């Protein structure tokens, strides 16, 4: 951070006042939609659709949340979403670390070429693959099951492999050499020495994988057909799309319920989160 | 010490991969040994409760089959994906408008042989209704409940405008005049009330031609008629509700008051729009959200040159068996149960619709909560009752017409004429239909045989 | 091959073997199949029938295909630069040695945590013609009301506006980039009497240009795939004004079951992304300063 140099205190003061004013106003602007969401979720349908908009619910309709959790059904969908997200977290962290170690530690012919190809796969977007993946999963009999949503995670993902490899390249070779001399097997080296070393990076992978699957919409939309299997994102969209049947207040209550856990998770893992994002954006 | 790492890894991989090929647990038996079949239904709210009551009745009536009722939104798309994915439900409650496309694509199971075996006949039903379930002379589903649409109007708005609430308009021209009389402008120059807004709720925007004697498809199914003079006329009329009023403000009014169908903010129930084209189910929503409003229903007026009776659209909520269902017999048993006069009338009473069967029990209409139910049923029997055009390109055709409609709604007439907009729909869709027809020429015979043998 | 090399090969391959399987079955195979299907008439329900280049030919004449491309690029053209500017502006503000940095950063970051489906539903209401807050705020300065999602001319700007709310990720990234700029550079500039503006223009921006560049490419690739937001918010309407490329692809595949056609679209999308990435790569060699060294 840069200390303010060579400016007179008066100028600095007024400048800083302006700075805080701008920041304050922008903060209000950025928080407004959240306020909107919560206030609508607590209103009667009548009050939520009056113009000009009102801000204080009268009366407070906490009942909207009860209606929303029943209509979606919220708890079932939360369970489904958690299942998909957790399977992905397990698969993605384990597989990516495993594969990244292979790319980072062992010097074998063709490794760098294959790694370059791996990196290139990051440029292949999901819409390119979805049609033929659907056909493949269909032949496996996986449509209408959760498998298409989590099985691929157990085979790693280029981006996470790349990320973890960056960390693993920093592991001194002496460490593994010593372990080997002590008679450690390769798997044991990986599990007992390497994994603990890169725990912060694994946390990032786990967190982002969780977030991605908590929010994911397109893949569940294609692969999940039975309403009982839906994830929250799908359930919310389905709730919204019931032809005119859904009151905006119930919809907002459901929306709030879906947003709240993510926000909570953020506050619990803030440090990892911010580090993770800085990490993902800085290196090309 | 020998290191087994690579072998362990390979073993885990092989185990993992082979575990994935173990067949899914199909879960098609209940604990007490009944066959469990899955029934997806598009309804929510009171219509869902009604069907659930019938499902419960069926489950209680025998001990071989258990129907699991699952409420499913956007059922067209989900049924398509599930069937294409090889994992469909055993029964689906589905709209007749998607039937033709799906039948031709091989998503549905024809019911003719089952009907014949168990003595069900097309003659048991009102012709216009069973007609919505038939394509290429096969029956692809049987009615759950049918519906027709009619004019619903607010009697108080009529009175306020000095109109006789017992005399609904009988021609389109009269209708337009009434709509104008019931439109009110507020102090700020914006519309506060409107007599009529044609794209609200927008569920049958493609069909206004029905009231102008138009058809969307030629009788032989080979030509799209969306740009016929009658259709152009209908779409001109549709657009006149923007061009004959303050265009900007009508658009604004329509955007602001559309949506929120099942609530007291509904434009009709809140008194903001005096006249609406709505289905037989509307009475139920008015009762729930209308706060005691004084309303009436009548056939929606046709253009004065249309003869032969009142016009309407017939739609059927139908029960179908998707291809790939593992329990066709059991699914059919349930459908058969619903078709019994006693049961279908119970369902129709609960859903507040009319019966699709020709025979109606004594007392059905007396018990019925909708005071206009006979009129809705009579509409279904009118010679001018039209169904969704039977063409395999309907879903795309409908979307394309919808886009034309939206363009006409927002574009001034000097920039886009109705004829041009509809010509464009035809230009885009006719080749697709031709392609479908060509393909049918090639494989039609084979398909027909395949269907007869299913 | 020496014993050491053999060992490395054996273990290396063992460790990366899941990826080889995953790469082959979830990437390579689908790509090959998708290329094959793109030359076929394929509905999933029936086996694919070879058509030759007909799908691609039809695509060229498909008006809606062009509309969806136009919409996608229109959206990218506004959403990306505006988003980058907003994010940079916020990051620069946050980088001014302020108190409560953590608090402000959290405030700007929180919106980007909102799941897209929830975001779409929330903003549908916020942009509502009659009682939405955007029209209410604009009304204060005498603008509007606008029929955001009902008017084909305003629907895309409405979506762009929505995405302005979720710039949290780039803000955090740019902020991290800004804090990495060596202080010595600023100190030197101050000795030379540079103003704040000059510092920003000649030091800060060039130093974080690789970060901006990387985020722009990722943004481009992201926009080409934009799906959930418009799908839930507008369904592609009104009058196809928000029908984006991925949505049309999705419709062709899963609403009309024209899987072959959809695969042809997928390959065109892939081609566009490849070209985009490559040309961005060429450009950087000329314009982007890679800092530090």
């Amino acid at each position: 951070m840069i200390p303010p140099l060579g400016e007179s205190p008066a100028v600095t003061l007024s400048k800083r006042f302006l700075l805080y004013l701008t920041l304050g106003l922008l903060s209000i602007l950025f928080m407004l939609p959240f306020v909107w969401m919560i206030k609508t979720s607590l209103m009667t349908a009548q009050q939520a659709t009056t113009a000009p908009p009102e801000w204080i619910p009268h009366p407070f309709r906490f009942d909207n949340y009860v209606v929303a959790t029943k209509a979606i059904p919220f708890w079932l969908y939360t369970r489904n979403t958690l299942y998909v997200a957790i399977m992905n977290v397990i698969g993605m962290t384990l597989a990516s670390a495993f594969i990244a170690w292979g790319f980072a530690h062992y010097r074998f012919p063709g490794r760098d070429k294959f790694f370059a190809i791996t990196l290139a796969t990051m440029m292949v977007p999901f819409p390119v693959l979805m049609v033929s993946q659907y056909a493949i999963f269909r032949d496996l009999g996986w449509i209408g099951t959760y498998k298409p949503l989590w099985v691929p995670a157990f085979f790693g993902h280029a981006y996470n492999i790349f990320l973890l490899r960056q960390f693993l390249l920093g592991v001194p070779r002496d460490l593994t050499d010593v372990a080997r001399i002590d008679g450690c097997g390769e798997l044991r080296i990986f599990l007992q020495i390497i994994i603990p070393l890169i725990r912060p990076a694994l946390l990032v992978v786990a967190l982002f994988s969780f977030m991605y699957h908590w929010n994911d919409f397109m893949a569940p939309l294609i692969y999940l057909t039975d309403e009982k299997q839906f994830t929250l994102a799908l359930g919310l969209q389905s709730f919204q799309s019931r032809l005119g049947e859904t009151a905006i207040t119930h919809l907002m209550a459901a929306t709030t319920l879906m947003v709240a856990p993510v926000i909570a998770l953020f506050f619990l893992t803030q440090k990892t989160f911010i580090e993770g994002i800085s990490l993902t954006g800085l290196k090309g | 010490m020998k290191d087994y790492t690579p072998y362990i890894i390979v073993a885990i991989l092989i185990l993992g991969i082979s575990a994935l090929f173990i067949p899914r647990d199909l879960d098609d038996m209940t604990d007490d040994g009944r066959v469990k079949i899955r029934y997806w239904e598009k309804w929510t709210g009171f219509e869902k409760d009604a069907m659930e009551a019938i499902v419960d009745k069926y489950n209680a009536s025998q001990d071989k089959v258990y129907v699991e009722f699952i409420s499913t939104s956007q059922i067209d798309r989900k049924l398509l994906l599930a069937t294409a994915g090889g994992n469909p439900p055993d029964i689906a409650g589905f709209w007749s408008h998607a039937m033709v496309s799906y039948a031709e694509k091989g998503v549905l199971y024809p019911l003719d042989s089952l009907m014949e075996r168990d003595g069900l006949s097309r003659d048991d039903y009102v012709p216009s209704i069973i007609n919505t379930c038939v394509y290429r002379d096969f029956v692809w589903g049987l009615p759950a409940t049918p519906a027709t649409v009619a004019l619903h109007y607010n009697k108080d708005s009529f009175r306020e405008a000095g109109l006789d609430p017992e005399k609904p308009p009988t021609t389109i021209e009269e209708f337009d005049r009434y709509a104008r009389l019931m439109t009110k402008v507020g102090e700020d120059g914006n519309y506060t009330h409107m007599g009529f807004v044609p794209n609200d709720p927008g569920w049958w925007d493609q069909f206004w031609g029905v009231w102008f004697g138009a058809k969307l498809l030629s009788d032989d199914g080979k030509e799209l008629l969306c740009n016929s003079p009658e259709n152009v006329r209908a779409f001109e009329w549709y657009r006149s509700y923007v061009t004959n009023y303050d265009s900007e403000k009508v658009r604004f009014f329509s955007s602001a008051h559309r949506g929120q169908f099942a609530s007291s903010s509904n434009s009709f129930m809140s008194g903001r729009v005096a006249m609406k084209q709505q289905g037989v189910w509307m009475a139920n929503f008015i009762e729930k959200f209308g706060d005691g409003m004084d309303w009436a229903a009548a056939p929606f007026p046709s253009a004065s040159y249309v003869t032969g009776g009142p016009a309407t659209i017939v739609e059927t909520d139908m029960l179908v068996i998707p291809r790939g269902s593992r329990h066709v017999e059991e699914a059919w048993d349930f459908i058969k149960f619903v078709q019994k006069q006693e049961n279908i009338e119970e369902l129709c009473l609960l859903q507040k619709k009319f019966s699709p069967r020709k025979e109606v029990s004594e007392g059905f209409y007396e018990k019925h909560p909708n005071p206009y139910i006979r009129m809705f049923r009579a509409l279904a029997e009118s010679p001018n009752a039209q169904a969704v055009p039977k063409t395999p390109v309907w879903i795309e055709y409908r979307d394309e017409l919808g886009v034309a409609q939206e363009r006409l709604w927002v574009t001034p007439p000097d920039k886009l004429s109705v004829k041009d907009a509809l010509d464009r729909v035809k230009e885009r869709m006719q080749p697709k239909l031709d392609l479908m027809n060509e393909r049918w020429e090639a494989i039609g015979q084979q398909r027909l045989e395949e269907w007869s043998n299913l | 091959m020496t014993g050491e090399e053999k060992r490395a090969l054996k273990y290396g391959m063992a460790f990366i073997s899941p990826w080889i399987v995953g790469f082959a079955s979830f990437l390579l195979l689908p790509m090959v199949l998708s290329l094959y299907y793109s030359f076929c008439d394929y509905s999933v329900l029936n086996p694919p029938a070879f058509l030759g280049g007909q799908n691609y030919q039809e695509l060229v004449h498909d008006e809606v295909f062009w509309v969806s491309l136009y919409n996608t690029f229109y959206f990218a053209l506004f959403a990306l630069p505006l988003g980058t500017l907003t994010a940079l502006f916020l990051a620069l503000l946050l980088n001014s040695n302020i108190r409560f940095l953590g608090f402000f950063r959290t405030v700007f970051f929180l919106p980007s945590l909102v799941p897209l489906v929830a975001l779409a539903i929330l903003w549908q209401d916020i942009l509502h013609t009659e009682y939405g807050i955007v029209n209410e705020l604009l009304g204060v300065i005498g603008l509007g009301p606008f029929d955001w999602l009902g008017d084909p001319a305003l629907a895309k700007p409405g979506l762009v506006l929505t995405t302005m709310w979720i710039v949290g990720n780039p803000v955090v990234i740019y902020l991290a980039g800004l804090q990495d700029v060596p202080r010595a550079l600023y100190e030197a500039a101050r000795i030379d009497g540079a103003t704040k503006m000059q510092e920003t223009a000649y030091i800060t921006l060039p130093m974080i240009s690789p970060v901006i560049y990387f985020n722009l490419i990722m943004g481009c690739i992201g926009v080409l795939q934009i799906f959930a937001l418009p799908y839930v918010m507008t369904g592609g309407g009104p009058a196809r004004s928000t029908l984006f490329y991925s949505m049309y692809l999705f419709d062709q595949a899963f609403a009309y079951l024209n899987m072959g056609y959809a695969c042809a679209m997928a390959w065109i999308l892939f081609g566009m992304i490849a070209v985009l990435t490559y040309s961005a790569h060429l450009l950087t060699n000329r314009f982007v300063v890679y800092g530090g060294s």
Side-chain angles (χ1 to χ4, degrees):
Chain A
M1 244 155 274
I2 308 105
L5 289 169
E7 287 178 79
S8 77
V11 174
T12 318
L13 202 68
S14 66
K15 264 194 180 167
R16 292 201 79 71
F17 175 72
L18 206 64
L19 179 68
Y20 282 109
L21 189 70
T22 319
L23 277 170
L25 285 177
L26 283 170
S27 300
I28 293 174
L29 214 56
F30 269 72
M31 285 299 108
L32 219 47
F34 286 116
V35 178
W36 182 272
M37 176 174 81
I38 291 164
K39 71 99 188 161
T40 306
S41 76
L42 291 170
M43 283 178 169
T44 61
Q46 195 96 51
Q47 200 193 1
T49 54
T50 44
E54 293 180 18
W55 290 94
I56 311 292
H58 178 80
F60 278 87
R61 287 286 297 267
F62 295 102
D63 190 40
N64 288 340
Y65 283 87
V66 181
V67 175
T69 48
K70 280 190 189 137
I72 289 192
F74 183 76
W75 302 113
L76 175 69
Y77 288 175
T78 306
R79 204 200 68 189
N80 295 345
T81 316
L82 280 175
Y83 173 72
V84 172
I86 288 172
M87 289 304 274
N88 270 287
V89 167
I90 297 172
M92 191 52 81
T93 38
L94 282 182
S96 298
F98 197 77
I99 298 159
W101 180 241
F103 274 123
H105 187 68
Y106 301 97
R107 298 197 186 95
F108 52 90
R111 178 189 73 168
D112 295 332
K113 272 198 192 111
F114 190 54
F115 188 66
I117 295 173
T118 301
L119 287 185
T121 64
M122 275 196 272
M123 297 295 163
V124 185
F126 179 62
V128 170
L129 301 171
M130 69 179 177
V131 179
S132 40
Q133 272 188 359
Y134 179 86
I136 293 171
F137 289 136
R138 173 186 189 268
D139 290 343
L140 292 173
W142 287 6
I143 307 295
T145 76
Y146 292 112
K147 283 181 203 142
L149 300 179
W150 63 261
V151 171
F154 280 79
F155 299 92
H157 182 270
Y159 183 73
N160 293 319
I161 296 171
F162 164 76
L163 192 73
L164 292 173
R165 180 177 165 271
Q166 295 294 96
F167 274 85
L168 290 167
L169 287 176
V171 174
R173 287 195 100 80
D174 298 352
L175 212 62
T176 48
D177 289 343
V178 169
R180 249 175 231 127
I181 290 162
D182 288 351
C184 258
E186 297 295 317
L187 194 60
R188 236 178 93 194
I189 294 179
F190 172 72
L191 289 175
Q192 289 187 346
I193 302 175
I194 303 305
I195 290 273
L197 271 179
I198 55 162
R199 216 182 283 150
L202 284 178
L203 221 60
V204 171
V205 172
L207 191 62
F208 282 80
S209 173
F210 183 88
M211 285 290 293
Y212 182 86
H213 291 279
W214 180 273
N215 298 345
D216 192 19
F217 176 65
M218 203 173 187
L221 182 69
I222 295 169
Y223 296 124
L224 299 181
T225 47
D226 196 319
E227 296 244 334
K228 284 197 304 187
Q229 305 169 314
F230 277 13
T231 58
L232 276 173
L234 216 48
L236 193 61
Q237 186 262 344
S238 147
F239 188 42
Q240 177 232 24
S241 66
R242 289 180 199 167
L243 265 185
E245 290 271 352
T246 311
I248 186 70
T249 49
H250 300 154
L251 197 54
M252 279 303 149
T255 309
T256 310
L257 285 174
M258 187 182 177
V259 174
V262 191
I263 305 272
L265 185 71
F266 170 76
F267 280 111
L268 292 174
T269 58
Q270 207 169 359
K271 203 166 153 272
T272 315
F273 223 110
I274 296 289
E275 272 170 11
I277 290 168
S278 318
L279 210 69
T280 56
L282 285 175
K283 287 278 178 228
Chain B
M1 192 179 123
K2 190 155 168 40
D3 183 4
Y4 294 105
T5 314
Y7 309 103
I8 293 171
I9 293 162
V10 169
I12 291 172
L13 260 178
I14 291 172
L15 263 175
I17 292 171
S18 52
L20 300 174
F21 286 93
I22 295 170
R24 273 175 340 111
D25 180 12
L26 294 176
D27 187 29
D28 49 5
M29 283 288 180
T30 60
D31 295 337
D32 54 353
R34 300 163 90 174
V35 175
K36 186 161 148 191
I37 59 176
R38 291 185 305 155
Y39 167 25
W40 290 2
E41 181 51 79
K42 63 196 168 299
W43 287 313
T44 53
F46 81 101
E47 289 168 312
K48 173 190 138 213
D49 297 341
M51 193 69 209
E52 246 178 332
I54 302 296
V55 169
D56 290 345
K57 189 175 169 191
Y58 173 75
N59 285 337
S61 75
Q62 41 74 48
D63 58 3
K64 302 237 161 11
V65 182
Y66 178 83
V67 176
E68 187 188 25
F69 182 92
I70 303 164
S71 181
T72 301
S73 67
Q74 296 172 309
I75 194 149
D76 303 14
R77 212 204 53 235
K78 274 179 207 133
L79 185 65
L80 189 66
L81 281 178
T83 310
N87 189 18
D90 301 298
I91 309 170
F94 164 86
W95 281 290
S96 49
H97 69 229
M99 181 271 286
V100 169
S101 317
Y102 285 24
E104 184 123 329
K105 285 201 167 102
V107 176
L108 307 178
Y109 192 92
L111 304 179
D112 300 81
S113 53
L114 293 165
M115 282 175 75
E116 201 180 331
R117 189 189 71 193
D118 293 344
L120 272 75
S121 159
R122 295 182 201 180
D123 296 334
D124 299 341
Y125 300 89
V126 174
S128 71
I129 294 167
I130 192 70
N131 177 42
T132 60
C133 306
V134 174
Y135 175 58
R136 299 214 192 266
D137 208 25
F138 283 86
V139 176
W140 297 96
L142 284 172
T145 50
T148 49
V149 298
L151 167 67
H152 290 69
Y153 63 95
N154 188 332
K155 286 187 174 179
D156 287 332
S157 308
F158 268 56
R159 286 190 198 100
E160 278 169 43
L163 295 164
D164 182 352
E166 302 312 321
K167 285 191 184 146
T170 50
T171 62
I172 280 278
E173 294 75 15
E174 206 174 9
F175 176 86
D176 291 343
R177 200 162 53 78
Y178 284 20
R180 172 71 76 177
L181 284 172
M182 289 184 281
T183 299
K184 292 186 207 158
V185 180
E187 279 167 21
D188 56 356
N190 288 322
Y191 293 117
T192 56
H193 297 77
M194 292 205 70
F196 178 65
V197 182
N199 65 356
D200 175 4
W203 297 343
W204 28 75
D205 275 1
Q206 299 82 2
F207 285 107
W208 288 114
V210 169
W211 288 269
F212 290 81
K215 287 205 159 105
L216 285 169
L217 181 74
S218 67
D219 290 336
D220 61 2
K222 296 237 162 87
E223 202 189 346
L224 301 177
L225 301 177
C226 56
N227 57 354
S228 71
E230 291 86 3
N231 269 315
V232 171
R233 211 155 175 162
F235 281 70
E236 293 277 12
W237 170 81
Y238 173 89
R239 188 194 236 183
S240 74
Y241 276 87
V242 208
T243 50
N244 288 355
Y245 288 75
D246 186 332
S247 314
E248 266 316 299
K249 285 172 181 156
V250 175
R251 287 184 199 121
F252 185 76
F253 183 92
S254 134
S255 278
H257 299 294
R258 253 195 308 177
Q260 297 290 306
F261 173 74
S263 79
S264 48
S265 341
N266 178 307
S267 55
F268 184 67
M269 267 89 92
S270 64
R272 291 194 183 259
V273 175
M275 299 190 286
K276 244 190 195 183
Q277 174 83 277
Q278 265 295 356
V280 56
W281 53 81
M282 192 64 179
N284 188 65
F285 289 97
I286 298 175
E287 189 191 308
K288 214 163 150 195
F289 301 107
D291 197 22
M293 76 182 289
D294 193 9
W295 65 283
F300 199 91
S302 300
S304 48
Y305 59 83
V306 176
T307 56
T312 192
I313 310 161
V314 188
E315 262 273 287
T316 307
D317 293 310
M318 54 198 281
L319 294 169
V320 298
I321 305 179
R323 206 83 78 80
S325 153
R326 289 181 297 270
H327 303 289
V328 174
E329 276 302 328
E330 288 81 358
W332 170 245
D333 194 56
F334 174 71
I335 294 179
K336 218 166 60 184
F337 177 83
V338 177
Q339 296 307 310
K340 282 193 191 139
Q341 185 162 344
E342 172 204 347
N343 296 328
I344 201 146
E345 285 184 0
E346 186 180 339
L347 176 66
C348 289
L349 271 177
L350 286 170
Q351 289 202 349
K352 305 177 189 182
K353 294 173 184 159
F354 53 87
S355 171
R357 295 182 73 92
K358 272 190 192 148
E359 298 272 332
V360 178
S361 314
E362 219 170 298
F364 176 80
Y365 292 116
E366 284 68 32
K367 270 185 277 177
H368 206 287
N370 187 335
Y372 299 94
I373 194 67
R374 284 174 199 270
M375 185 265 298
F376 282 105
R377 161 84 181 225
L379 277 174
E381 288 166 285
S382 162
N384 282 337
Q386 274 196 37
V388 167
K390 289 188 187 170
T391 169
V393 296
W394 170 245
I395 295 176
E396 280 185 83
Y397 186 29
R398 176 198 65 193
D399 290 353
E400 215 58 45
L401 284 165
V403 170
Q405 210 115 25
E406 285 173 344
R407 291 177 63 217
L408 289 170
W409 187 256
V410 298
T411 323
D414 53 322
K415 295 237 177 68
L416 177 72
S417 78
V418 170
K419 184 80 170 64
D420 287 346
L422 293 175
D423 282 346
R424 239 169 95 176
V425 174
K426 177 153 184 187
E427 259 167 50
R428 181 164 163 79
M429 289 313 301
Q430 187 66 47
K432 297 199 183 194
L433 178 61
D434 293 343
L435 204 71
M436 288 292 207
N437 284 330
E438 265 169 47
R439 198 177 298 173
W440 182 258
E441 300 278 309
I443 56 164
Q445 209 49 44
Q446 191 188 331
R447 279 285 138 80
L448 288 175
E449 272 163 36
E450 186 191 323
W451 291 342
S452 329
N453 294 329
L454 270 173
Chain C
M1 212 182 262
T2 65
E4 183 59 25
E5 276 171 345
K6 263 190 195 151
R7 230 179 61 91
L9 182 65
K10 188 168 86 177
Y11 289 113
M13 289 307 276
F15 272 100
I16 69 165
S17 58
W19 173 242
I20 296 177
V21 175
F23 174 75
S25 45
F26 300 123
L27 269 156
L28 202 59
L29 179 65
M31 283 186 79
V32 172
L33 278 179
S34 145
L35 186 63
Y36 171 63
Y37 293 153
S38 78
F39 294 102
C40 293
D41 177 44
Y42 183 45
S43 76
V44 184
L45 292 164
N46 301 309
F50 195 75
L51 281 180
Q54 203 175 316
N55 283 330
Y56 291 93
Q57 259 168 28
E58 272 177 45
L59 260 178
V60 178
H61 299 290
D62 182 351
E63 187 194 331
V64 181
F65 166 78
W66 293 108
V67 167
S68 71
L69 255 185
Y70 167 80
N71 286 340
T72 308
F73 281 105
Y74 177 110
F75 184 80
L77 202 65
F78 286 92
L80 283 179
L82 283 176
T84 307
L85 284 179
T86 313
L88 262 179
F89 177 68
L90 291 174
L92 284 169
L93 281 184
L94 291 179
N95 194 38
S96 325
N97 191 24
I98 52 163
R99 275 163 196 252
F100 316 118
L101 170 71
F103 168 77
F104 286 118
R105 190 176 57 187
T106 306
V107 164
F108 296 135
F109 181 71
L110 277 186
S112 45
L113 288 167
V114 176
L116 282 177
V117 176
L119 180 81
I121 291 172
L122 175 57
W123 275 75
Q124 236 178 6
D125 204 42
I126 285 176
L127 291 172
H128 193 277
T129 320
E130 199 194 7
Y131 56 78
I133 193 185
V134 171
N135 275 354
E136 191 63 21
L137 287 178
L138 291 174
V140 172
I141 50 170
L143 291 174
F146 298 106
D147 186 5
W148 287 106
L149 301 178
D151 183 342
L154 289 175
K156 279 187 289 278
L159 285 178
V160 171
L161 193 66
T162 305
T163 57
M164 289 307 106
W165 191 50
I166 45 168
V167 290
N169 270 328
V171 169
V172 171
I173 293 166
Y174 293 148
L175 188 58
L178 288 172
Q179 294 182 341
D180 278 351
V181 177
R183 268 189 46 193
L185 287 176
Y186 291 108
E187 278 156 14
R190 279 192 196 155
I191 290 164
D192 293 343
T195 65
K196 263 251 149 126
M197 286 293 257
Q198 285 170 326
E199 276 178 28
T200 308
Y202 297 114
I203 302 174
T204 315
L205 289 182
M207 286 305 289
I208 63 162
S209 60
V211 182
I212 298 176
Y213 148 77
F214 177 71
N215 281 288
L216 270 176
I217 299 186
M218 293 323 264
C220 263
I221 294 174
V223 167
L224 281 171
Q225 300 174 58
I226 185 170
F227 178 81
L229 187 70
Y231 183 88
V232 178
M233 217 164 151
T234 59
R240 293 214 174 98
S241 57
T242 55
L243 183 78
F244 294 110
Y245 196 87
S246 296
M247 294 168 81
Y248 189 48
L249 201 166
F250 179 88
D251 277 351
Q252 283 296 346
F254 300 113
Y256 309 138
L257 287 194
N258 295 330
M259 299 268 182
Y261 199 74
C263 284
M265 283 189 73
W267 273 87
I268 291 173
L269 174 65
F270 184 57
M272 285 189 297
I273 287 176
V275 169
L276 214 70
T277 314
Y278 185 66
S279 54
H281 174 75
L282 287 184
L283 269 180
T284 47
N285 292 344
R286 297 194 50 188
F287 295 114
V288 181
V289 183
Y290 276 98
S293 49

